[in-house]
C-alpha cells in the first residue's frame, strides 16, 4: 500500500524529530494531539515533553496513542554552589577524597566529585549540562590555595581570627618554656632600677611614689595629680648662676667661678 501524503500536522511533527512507526489512512485532528510534560525528564535532559493523541495525562500514554517525545537539553548554567571541606577518606572510602562538611555544617562523609583532588576547603559549583549520560558536572576551586592560614605557637595564640601574645612576668623579652604549649613571650623588669614599674596580671603598671618616714622607707614611682598640684602651689622659680653669685658677692660663668674678697690686715683683727 502506498504511503499517503502527509498532513500539515504530520509535517510539523516530522520537523520536530518525530518518526512515525507506520503511516495509515487514519487522520488525527489537531485538537486531539496533546503535549504532556513528563514527570521525570529523560536522563541527561532538562525537560521531556510527550506528544500523544486523545489523552491528557502521562499515565494514560500507551504505545498506541504515543506520537513521540521531545527532549530539551540542559543549559550550561550554574545551578548550585557550596563551600565544602574535603578530607582523605577512611574505611570503605579509603583512598578517595571525601566531603565532610557543606557550608560549615558537618555531613555524613561522601565521595567528592572527580574534579576535587586534594584535602582542604573547596568551592563546588554544580553545572547543569547534558554530557553523555551524566546529569550534572562540577567545577571545583581549591580555596585553600587562595588563603594563607595562620596558626598559633611560641607564645602567640590565634583564636577566631584574634591574635594574642601571652606575657610572662617572670622572664625577659624572650620565649620561655620547654614545651610548645608552655612557651610564652616574657618581658623582664629590672627590680633594682624599676622605679615603681611592674608587670601585673593586668599588664604593665607604674606605681605611685611614696614618701619616707623619718628618712626611712618610701618608694620610687610616678607623681600623682595631687602631687603635681601641690608642687605648682609652691610657685618656685629656678635661679640663675648670676643671681646666686650676686647674693654671695661673686661672679660666675660657664667655665670658672671668680670670688674677690677684701684684703685683711693683722691690725684689723681684734681679740674678743
Amino acid at each position: 500500500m502506498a504511503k499517503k501524503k502527509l498532513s500539515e500536522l504530520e509535517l510539523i511533527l516530522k520537523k520536530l524529530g518525530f518518526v512515525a512507526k507506520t503511516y495509515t489512512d487514519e487522520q488525527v485532528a489537531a485538537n486531539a494531539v496533546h503535549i504532556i510534560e513528563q514527570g521525570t525528564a529523560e536522563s541527561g535532559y532538562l525537560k521531556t515533553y510527550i506528544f500523544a493523541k486523545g489523552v491528557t495525562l502521562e499515565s494514560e500514554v500507551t504505545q498506541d496513542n504515543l506520537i513521540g517525545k521531545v527532549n530539551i537539553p540542559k543549559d550550561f548554567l550554574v545551578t548550585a554552589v557550596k563551600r565544602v571541606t574535603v578530607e582523605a577518606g577512611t574505611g570503605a572510602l579509603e583512598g578517595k577524597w571525601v566531603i565532610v562538611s557543606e557550608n560549615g555544617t558537618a555531613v555524613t562523609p561522601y565521595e567528592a566529585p572527580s574534579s576535587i583532588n586534594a584535602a582542604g576547603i573547596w568551592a563546588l559549583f554544580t553545572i547543569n549540562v547534558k554530557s553523555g549520560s551524566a546529569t550534572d558536572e562540577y567545577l571545583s576551586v581549591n580555596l585553600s590555595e587562595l588563603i594563607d592560614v595562620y596558626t598559633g605557637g611560641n607564645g602567640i595564640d590565634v583564636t577566631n581570627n584574634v591574635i594574642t601574645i601571652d606575657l610572662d612576668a617572670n622572664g625577659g623579652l624572650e620565649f620561655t618554656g620547654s614545651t610548645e604549649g608552655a612557651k610564652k613571650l616574657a618581658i623582664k623588669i629590672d627590680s633594682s632600677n624599676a622605679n615603681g614599674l611592674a608587670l601585673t596580671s593586668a599588664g604593665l603598671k607604674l606605681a605611685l611614689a611614696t614618701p619616707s618616714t623619718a628618712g626611712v622607707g618610701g618608694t620610687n614611682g610616678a607623681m600623682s595629680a595631687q602631687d603635681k598640684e601641690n608642687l605648682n602651689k609652691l610657685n618656685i622659680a629656678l635661679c640663675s648662676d648670676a643671681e646666686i653669685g650676686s647674693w654671695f658677692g661673686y661672679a660666675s660663668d660657664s667655665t670658672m667661678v671668680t670670688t674677690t674678697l677684701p684684703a685683711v690686715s693683722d691690725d684689723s683683727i681684734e681679740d674678743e
Side-chain angles (χ1 to χ4, degrees), residues 177-193:
S178 57
T179 62
E180 187 69 20
K183 290 184 176 179
K184 298 180 179 181
L185 180 62
I187 294 179
K188 185 176 181 180
I189 303 296
D190 185 352
S191 59
S192 63
N193 294 286

Side-chain angles (χ1 to χ4, degrees), residues 208-221 227:
L208 292 178
T210 60
S212 62
T213 302
V216 179
T219 58
N220 294 331
D227 292 338

Side-chain angles (χ1 to χ4, degrees), residues 9-30:
L9 174 60
E10 290 171 324
L11 288 173
I12 293 174
L13 293 176
K14 187 174 182 180
K15 288 181 180 179
L16 288 173
F18 302 130
V19 178
K21 293 173 289 186
T22 59
Y23 289 104
T24 67
D25 292 332
E26 179 183 1
Q27 293 185 356
V28 180

